[in-house]
Amino acid sequence: MFDIYGYSIADFFLYAPETYLRLLAAYNSAYWPAQIVTLGLAMALIALARTPGPAPGRAISLGLAASWAWAGHAFFMERYADLHFAAWIFGWGFFLEAALLLWLGVVRTGLRFAWGPHWTNRLGLALAVFAVALLPLAERLAGRAWSTLDTFPFMPDPVAVATFGFALMARRGAIRLWLLLPIPLAWSVIGAANAWTMGAYENLVTPAAAVLTLAALAGRAIASIPRRT
Amino acid sequence: MSNQPILNRRSLLASMAAAFGATALPPSMGRVAAAPTPAPLLARPVPKSGESVPVIGMGSSRTFNVGNDQAARSSRKDVLRAFFDAGGSLIDSSPMYGSSEAVIGHGLGRLGRLGPQKNLFSATKVWTWRASDGPSQMEESRKLWGVDRFDLMQIHNLVSWEAHLDTLLAMKAEKKIRYIGITTSHGRRHKELMRIMRTRPIDFVQFSYNILDRAAERQLLPLAADRGIAVIVNRPFRRGELFDLFSRHPLPSWAAEIDCANWAQFFLKFIVGHPAVTCAIPATSRVDHMRENMGALYGRLPDAPMRARMLQYLAGL
Ligand SMILES: NC(=O)c1ccc[n+]([C@@H]2O[C@H](COP(=O)([O-])OP(=O)(O)OC[C@H]3O[C@@H](n4cnc5c(N)ncnc54)[C@H](OP(=O)(O)O)[C@@H]3O)[C@@H](O)[C@H]2O)c1
């Protein structure tokens, strides 16, 4: 049986920080300058949420699904698998999230997004913008080389944080929304453990975003109870 | 001070030279062979067979997990070369360590260290929860290393150990592996490990032991000696933490009495000075560190009073 007590966090990330950064640098440079194009596309997705409705909802869900699938394939399956024995499990987790987004947001058209009016929607907007545009800058300020920054949708962290942002922008009361959260939450925990082990403390923003999202969604749900009764 | 050179470099080189002819030796080995008085290499016997193993081997988690990065692979090949040049032989890895096995195999191939009589003692692990996945994982490891068979196959962290042990016993009977071992690194599993050591026919055991983490001295090491089980010590530097803690302090002048020129050798000689230890497997990604570590393969070893003095010195820092 797997004995979790026999292992420490560091036992699950058995590579040197330098090795991890070199992997990121090789990965990013293989796709450069696609990162600039995807930044534009991601901002367009965020802009689409300005006008709530089924069509923008479908387009955003499709864009997010593609992002999860891309990070799962290009990062986990193609690159990280060289360093981590469980990369394929993470990759399949990302594919599953992509499938959920397609099913709930495109096939069932159950997801609609908006910048407001609730404060949680605005918080979501801020998180999404942070994930795609500001997270790499924060990492740069923390001293990371340009070539090693986490960019959307190449790396799991910005994809997860952006998804938290869109979850907060989603129409209130969309129960299905909760189905979309377990995988980004699970990644926040795993990514945080990796960041901790690598000494990349700037990446702890991902679990912070997860906590913020859960707190905001819970706060919104609780606030809506008196109105229902 | 005790000095236990069971194998010396001259005899090691002589046997290799006999097998290949001196010219077939790598140049650096040839140079060493030509030296007037080769230093004796410290080695200990595997109790079950009497085969000698140099007291310093090498680990590979983290340090050799560099993926497909060609520059990093080449630098690890240089680390391997430094290891063999200094008389090293036992290399430890595991399928858990990402690309480490592939990187070792790459280095061994480039250095011409594959094949019989190449002074390689290959040690890896089986690490699957379903025992039925064990054989295919071990075969995959064998291909990655490029060896005909592993010298030592260990059950990693006691995972599904009962079922894996049956497989390994059958493989040993068929001469597909030479030795069987079990590993752990955490105090929590020591009880279970000791139960296995008492009741099952294993040749090697691997656990953590270093100058600060000495729980193994109480029961594990005496039991291994009593049962005739070879001991491989992992985390000899506590994952490098020992250097962070102590390397800013001066080495005591009396470290020269046990031929320690640096902290790495001080830490390693403390470990292999314990009579029940067969070898320690420090891991490094650097050639200069490898050379420092391999220095512990030569000279005098500390006896019990000297080891007590080493502990006392660190306690005073
Ligand atoms: N359950 C198990 O089976 C198990 C568990 C743990 C470990 N192991 C095995 O045991 C091996 C050793 O343990 P470990 O890798 O955890 O830790 P370790 O050998 O105690 O320490 C490795 C660290 O020490 C540093 N280092 C090495 N030589 C040095 C020197 N001369 N001066 C300064 N720093 C030096 C290395 O950094 P540089 O790269 O910069 O030199 C590396 O960060 C593992 O690689 C693995 O093969 C097995």
Side-chain angles (χ1 to χ4, degrees):
Chain A
M1 258 254 325
F2 180 70
D3 176 9
I4 195 74
Y5 296 109
Y7 295 83
S8 66
I9 289 181
D11 288 331
F12 290 97
F13 303 97
L14 289 170
Y15 39 80
E18 187 212 344
T19 300
Y20 183 66
L21 292 176
R22 283 175 70 98
L23 178 103
L24 293 194
Y27 175 52
N28 280 333
S29 59
Y31 292 104
W32 179 256
Q35 288 85 345
I36 295 178
V37 179
T38 52
L39 171 67
L41 289 173
M43 292 309 269
L45 280 189
I46 295 170
L48 274 180
R50 184 154 188 221
T51 34
R58 259 200 308 273
I60 291 169
S61 302
L62 187 64
L64 278 180
S67 306
W68 280 85
W70 179 251
H73 165 74
F75 181 68
F76 287 119
M77 298 297 201
E78 294 281 307
R79 303 278 169 161
Y80 195 52
D82 283 346
L83 298 186
H84 203 291
F85 57 85
W88 65 275
I89 300 177
F90 305 151
W92 278 105
F94 271 54
F95 293 156
L96 181 60
E97 181 74 7
L100 280 171
L101 277 158
L102 281 182
W103 176 248
L104 297 174
V106 181
V107 179
R108 305 283 301 269
T109 58
L111 296 172
R112 290 174 202 187
F113 306 91
W115 286 7
H118 202 269
W119 64 270
T120 52
N121 302 136
R122 286 191 291 277
L123 177 64
L125 174 64
L127 265 188
V129 171
F130 175 80
V132 301
L134 302 180
L135 176 64
L137 293 180
E139 291 175 345
R140 178 75 191 120
L141 286 177
R144 291 254 291 265
W146 283 107
S147 60
T148 65
L149 303 183
D150 286 321
T151 53
F152 181 96
F154 292 90
M155 290 296 292
D157 278 32
V159 171
V161 176
T163 304
F164 289 136
F166 279 104
L168 284 170
M169 281 191 269
R171 203 186 54 182
R172 231 176 55 189
I175 297 295
R176 289 177 190 136
L177 179 69
W178 291 97
L179 287 176
L180 294 175
L181 291 180
I183 290 174
L185 288 174
W187 175 255
S188 309
V189 175
I190 296 164
N194 182 38
W196 187 263
T197 313
M198 295 296 107
Y201 302 116
E202 62 279 8
N203 284 99
L204 296 179
V205 294
T206 307
V211 171
L212 198 63
T213 302
L214 280 183
L217 286 175
R220 192 165 83 181
I222 290 166
S224 70
I225 290 170
R227 260 176 278 149
R228 281 199 196 127
T229 51
Chain B
M1 277 357 76
S2 67
N3 194 351
Q4 309 161 37
I6 291 157
L7 192 70
N8 79 31
R9 186 171 240 180
R10 187 198 297 277
S11 62
L12 180 80
L13 292 168
S15 62
M16 291 180 70
F20 292 97
T23 50
L25 291 173
S28 52
M29 293 290 268
R31 268 202 308 278
V32 174
T37 46
L41 182 154
L42 298 169
R44 288 240 169 82
V46 176
K48 297 258 164 80
S49 67
E51 175 182 359
S52 277
V53 176
V55 297
I56 306 297
M58 62 166 266
S60 63
S61 73
R62 269 184 207 89
T63 50
F64 270 62
N65 185 12
V66 297
N68 274 318
D69 184 328
Q70 292 308 315
R73 279 185 171 219
S74 170
S75 95
R76 297 315 183 270
K77 179 197 70 195
D78 295 340
V79 173
L80 274 179
R81 182 189 285 121
F83 174 70
F84 285 118
D85 282 357
S89 161
L90 188 149
I91 301 177
D92 174 79
S93 196
S94 167
M96 189 190 182
Y97 305 159
S99 58
S100 292
E101 292 190 303
V103 174
I104 290 170
H106 175 265
L108 292 175
R110 295 287 154 99
L111 294 173
R113 283 282 171 179
L114 293 169
Q117 310 294 318
K118 295 285 184 176
N119 197 33
L120 166 69
F121 190 105
S122 52
T124 195
K125 302 175 194 121
V126 57
W127 185 65
T128 65
W129 284 272
R130 277 195 322 197
S132 57
D133 294 338
S136 58
Q137 186 184 65
M138 288 185 267
E139 177 57 15
E140 174 68 15
S141 294
R142 194 190 63 72
K143 285 185 190 148
L144 289 171
W145 281 63
V147 293
D148 292 333
R149 64 171 178 174
F150 283 106
D151 294 298
L152 168 61
M153 183 58 72
Q154 305 157 99
I155 300 168
H156 198 148
N157 283 353
L158 281 73
V159 172
S160 306
W161 69 266
E162 277 156 311
H164 283 313
L165 189 54
D166 292 342
T167 311
L168 295 191
L169 286 168
M171 286 173 73
K172 189 178 168 188
E174 292 166 25
K175 299 199 181 327
K176 288 184 177 162
I177 52 173
R178 298 205 300 131
Y179 298 108
I180 296 173
I182 296 211
T183 80
T184 184
S185 48
H186 302 277
R188 281 174 188 272
R189 312 298 300 272
H190 284 184
K191 269 206 180 111
E192 196 176 357
L193 185 64
M194 286 193 293
R195 189 162 59 81
I196 300 168
M197 290 166 70
R198 282 195 192 98
T199 56
R200 308 306 295 264
I202 56 171
D203 308 303
F204 276 80
V205 69
Q206 184 187 137
F207 48 76
S208 304
Y209 174 55
N210 60 57
I211 202 159
L212 289 189
D213 305 310
R214 294 168 41 234
E217 281 174 3
R218 282 198 298 275
Q219 289 178 291
L220 271 181
L221 285 162
L223 179 62
D226 186 50
R227 300 282 305 160
I229 299 172
V231 172
I232 296 177
V233 168
N234 63 38
R235 301 219 173 120
F237 300 140
R238 212 192 222 188
R239 289 206 187 108
E241 211 184 305
L242 294 186
F243 296 101
D244 302 336
L245 290 171
F246 300 114
S247 64
R248 63 180 179 279
H249 298 287
L251 261 190
S253 58
W254 44 261
E257 292 172 29
I258 46 167
D259 302 302
C260 288
N262 49 55
W263 278 109
Q265 291 162 14
F266 189 93
F267 299 141
L268 291 173
K269 284 208 167 174
F270 176 83
I271 294 168
V272 298
H274 193 293
V277 170
T278 310
C279 74
I281 48 168
T284 181
S285 54
R286 293 173 44 166
V287 170
D288 57 339
H289 285 171
M290 177 57 83
R291 291 197 180 118
E292 282 185 8
N293 300 349
M294 295 311 281
L297 199 49
Y298 299 93
R300 290 160 288 185
L301 282 180
D303 55 14
M306 178 54 104
R307 294 177 82 243
R309 192 177 181 189
M310 295 165 95
L311 286 172
Q312 212 177 5
Y313 181 73
L314 290 199
L317 292 179

